[in-house]
Amino acid sequence: MDLLIQYLLWVVVFALVGAAIGQKRGRALAGFFLGGLIGPLGWLVLLLGPDYSGQFRKCPYCAESVKTEAVICKHCGKSLGSAGSVAAAFGSSPPRAIRSSDDDFDEWQRGQETKTRKPTG
């Protein structure tokens, strides 16, 4: 029993060190699991792997991670920048495909209402 507790303590320590290393590289959760599962070898994988620390930011509306270059959040559909940044990214105006999901839902709902209406008379 004492050996099991000692083993689990080392696994937790390795996992926490892996999470600390991974957080500096933008991969804290992967660091936790790699450190816990394979110990110092997992730390080496994190140190030699790609650095993801500057590639993502949080959406101010839904707090999900999105790429730093994104102008529309892929999770909530909200614009992440001002209209000027969207126009700068796409030229003079954004393409038609960039709309909020609320607009798409409203358009779909109007189409459903016209299909279900029965002709009067």
Side-chain angles (χ1 to χ4, degrees), residues 27-99:
R27 303 173 66 189
L29 187 62
F32 183 81
F33 285 112
L34 285 173
L37 292 175
I38 54 179
L41 187 60
W43 304 341
L44 189 61
V45 168
L46 288 168
L47 289 172
L48 297 177
D51 185 9
Y52 293 109
S53 59
Q55 294 184 359
F56 293 95
R57 63 180 170 155
K58 287 196 176 209
C59 172
Y61 301 102
C62 67
E64 292 288 339
S65 293
V66 293
K67 291 186 177 182
T68 54
E69 298 88 17
V71 290
I72 302 292
C73 176
K74 69 178 185 176
H75 302 284
C76 66
K78 303 275 186 179
S79 175
L80 298 175
S82 64
S85 66
V86 173
F90 292 104
S92 60
S93 64
R96 177 170 162 70
I98 298 183
R99 299 183 305 183

Side-chain angles (χ1 to χ4, degrees), residues 6 9 17 27 37-38 46 50-51 56 60-61 64-65 74 79 85 87 101-102 105-106 108 111 114 116-118 120:
Q6 188 177 8
L9 182 64
V17 171
R27 303 173 66 189
L37 292 175
I38 54 179
L46 288 168
D51 185 9
F56 293 95
Y61 301 102
E64 292 288 339
S65 293
K74 69 178 185 176
S79 175
S85 66
S101 58
D102 293 338
F105 178 75
D106 291 340
W108 174 82
T114 58
T116 57
R117 285 188 189 154
K118 294 181 180 177
T120 58

